[in-house]
Amino acid sequence: MKSTLSRYLLLSTALAGSITLLALKAEDKVVADADNAGLKLPAGFGALVAAETGGRARHITVTPQGLIYVKLNRPNAAGKGILMLRPTANGKAEVAGAIGSYGGTGIYSTADYLYASSDEDVYRYKLNSKGEVANPAQSEKIVSGLINRRQHESKSITLDKEGNIYVNIGAYANACQVNDRQKGSKGRPDCPILDSAGGIWQFRADKLNQRYANGTRYATGLRNVVGLDWNAQANQLFVMQHGRDQLSDNWPELFTTKQSAELPAECMYALKKGDNAGWPYLYYDPAQRKKMQNPEYGGDGKKEATGNYLEPAAAYPAHTAPNALLFYTGTMFPEKYRNGAFIAFHGSWNRAPEPQKGYYVVFQPFKDGKPFGDYEVFADNFAGSPEKAAAGRPDHKPCGLAQGTDGSLYVSDDKKGTIYRIVYAKK
Amino acid sequence: MKQFLILLGALAWFIEPAAAQKKPAPKAKSTTPAKASAAAKPAAALSPAALAPGKAVYSQYCLTCHQADGGGVDRMNAPLNQTSWVLGEKPRLVKVLLNGMQGVEIDGEQYANVMPAFDYLTDQQIADVLTYVRNSFGNKASAVSSAEVKAVRATNKK
């Protein structure tokens, strides 16, 4: 932000003194849309459509200078998979550049580097002092050869403060059945998927050409993590798992469709190296607050899971697909939000024939680096109406989260490509 | 090619029962234009009662992924409205159910989820559900008979 401002100053002084003030004002002022971009927000908050990218905007990151990078699920018409957006007037931004020829999900930035992932590889790009990719042609591959069998393909990424990068490698199955998603098909013994997927892998962020052998399986038994973030207070990685699907479809004698819509919870885990969250052997029942044996592995809806598996840190409604996790460290929002978690729920499909759910951003309060108290729906109505949400036909699907330099919350949408900006306006 | 297909379709229209029992219609590698089969065999409007058994199968086995409106789920589960697979050649469509499907691009779009095999359904159930799908969600195409399913199953190689 600072350098953008000084650029403005220089430029403007060259033109005329009076324009300087205008430029400054335009840059600083963030104007919420009259309808808050269609979102329902807590009192005192406003929202605007910061930009329309027209692409499937997966994850998003903001550099210290206020440039926004958006990872597209697949390359746009120009063949580019990463968009760079520059702030314009009134809090909005516009696409000002594009790099990378691959689709994917993960994107992350530090002051020095932009990191991005395809569904198989992780790249980095050197950023200049303005936060721009200095040499777009010069991408450095830091990790390659990660497994991609389409299902749970997103290689979401985040970094810790010690130069490690964490990569989700989702399990390419629902519950490690002999025949995936087939009714009555049993679980494969000692699930072999876990060797190369179904967990979080740790690599060095500054080493090129790493493969599986150079990394560490940091945590396992995680079916698919799309949202993850490093919690600075706890100095710990937190992840959001997409829980298993189809309990009733595949085990109709054990689960009704109603039960299947509410089971299992989407879980938040606080990870330590070596943790095992138990997929595919167990699922988490939020009503009983218990880890239950999966029916593919002899469970019957009543049997608790045995074995030493990680307890979730928090639980959320089934199938709502948490696609982004962000610990808020800004000062724009009121005190209660500081160091708490925002979670973008992409929205469900596997609750049918029950009404679908999700398509919102949740706030989870934290205290001393741990979830504290109940979550609340923070930004709702990305779907456009309750009917569209219930029908699973939303207008927008929140997928990525990022914190702006001023503490605004950016939300990306991978259905229409809208970039939202949520601000707190003291009134 | 198109004319050839229409001709084939027309032929199938005349000899359908016999052909269906002996061997399935020749497999076209390319996407069969939906119009060809529709032109060859205009679908008789099927009554809700005629579609009811297929709807029941759909609700139990398919709705979970393809959704009540047949619209599927973005990038996850393929839609069933106006796709070249649903409206196209019947043997190819029957095989989707018998063998399942994964990683195949459908009308320019990729889907991340897995379509499991439904070979445990009876010929009649498969015929019913495909007839329902071909005549719902804005689709209009000829019915699928259990004899047609049986014929495809007999020669089905996974």
Side-chain angles (χ1 to χ4, degrees), chain A residues 106-317:
Chain A
I107 196 144
Y108 187 93
S109 63
T110 64
D112 300 319
Y113 281 98
L114 176 72
Y115 301 84
S117 67
S118 69
D119 294 337
E120 296 91 16
D121 309 315
V122 186
Y123 301 82
R124 72 170 187 181
Y125 304 83
K126 182 92 187 89
L127 295 177
N128 65 20
S129 61
K130 289 182 251 165
E132 297 158 346
V133 173
N135 187 352
Q138 212 170 65
S139 67
E140 295 178 309
K141 208 181 251 190
I142 55 176
V143 187
S144 64
L146 304 178
I147 207 158
N148 171 20
R149 300 213 183 144
R150 293 202 185 221
Q151 203 176 163
H152 307 148
E153 75 286 11
S154 300
K155 303 296 181 287
S156 306
I157 52 174
T158 196
L159 270 72
D160 64 15
K161 309 296 170 206
E162 279 147 31
N164 297 303
I165 187 166
Y166 299 84
V167 186
N168 167 61
I169 307 179
Y172 44 91
N174 180 30
C176 206
Q177 290 168 285
V178 173
N179 293 307
D180 192 18
R181 297 186 186 262
Q182 195 149 74
K183 194 175 120 188
S185 178
K186 288 246 186 302
R188 298 166 72 185
D190 200 9
C191 179
I193 291 175
L194 293 169
D195 293 348
S196 60
I200 302 290
W201 266 253
Q202 183 195 51
F203 297 94
R204 288 298 303 171
D206 58 357
K207 240 175 86 184
L208 306 190
N209 303 315
Q210 299 167 91
R211 302 186 72 87
Y212 272 106
N214 309 101
T216 305
R217 192 178 72 173
Y218 189 77
T220 188
L222 291 157
R223 181 174 173 273
N224 184 33
V225 167
V226 189
L228 75 175
D229 196 15
W230 190 263
N231 183 304
Q233 276 198 319
N235 197 32
Q236 192 173 14
L237 179 66
F238 279 72
V239 301
M240 299 297 310
Q241 176 184 241
H242 283 213
R244 59 148 316 148
D245 302 324
Q246 297 190 277
L247 277 168
S248 174
D249 294 335
N250 293 339
W251 307 95
E253 63 288 352
L254 299 174
F255 300 91
T256 65
T257 51
K258 269 207 156 60
Q259 288 174 312
S260 195
E262 301 297 343
L263 287 173
E266 304 286 54
C267 291
M268 173 190 278
Y269 291 100
L271 298 182
K272 287 197 209 62
K273 191 171 177 174
D275 276 342
N276 186 338
W279 181 91
Y281 310 113
L282 61 82
Y283 68 90
Y284 190 74
D285 182 333
Q288 300 189 63
R289 299 185 181 213
K290 279 180 182 160
K291 302 193 291 290
M292 309 297 289
Q293 191 75 11
N294 258 329
E296 287 79 4
Y297 291 89
D300 57 3
K302 297 181 189 74
K303 219 181 276 174
E304 277 190 61
T306 54
N308 189 20
Y309 297 115
L310 187 62
E311 203 62 43
Y316 306 89

Side-chain angles (χ1 to χ4, degrees), chain B residues 5 28-37 84-85 87-89 92:
Chain B
L5 278 171
K29 259 275 180 290
S30 68
T31 333
T32 309
K35 279 188 214 97
S37 56
S84 54
W85 289 78
L87 298 176
E89 267 205 355
R92 184 173 75 157

Side-chain angles (χ1 to χ4, degrees), chain A residues 56 58 73-74 149-151 153 180-183 246 249 346 349-350 352-353 356 391 393 397 414-415, chain B residues 61 63-65 67 69 71-77 102-103 108-114 116-117 120:
Chain A
R56 296 171 187 174
R58 295 286 283 176
N73 181 245
R74 62 180 199 186
R149 300 213 183 144
R150 293 202 185 221
Q151 203 176 163
E153 75 286 11
D180 192 18
R181 297 186 186 262
Q182 195 149 74
K183 194 175 120 188
Q246 297 190 277
D249 294 335
H346 199 226
W349 60 268
N350 194 223
Q356 303 293 0
R393 296 288 169 238
K397 288 182 166 185
D414 72 348
K415 184 150 174 90
Chain B
Y61 296 105
L63 186 151
T64 183
C65 290
Q67 305 293 302
D69 62 3
V73 179
D74 303 320
R75 303 193 309 108
M76 288 285 306
N77 302 318
Q102 188 182 10
E109 195 54 75
Q110 292 182 349
Y111 298 93
N113 210 351
V114 171
Y120 55 86

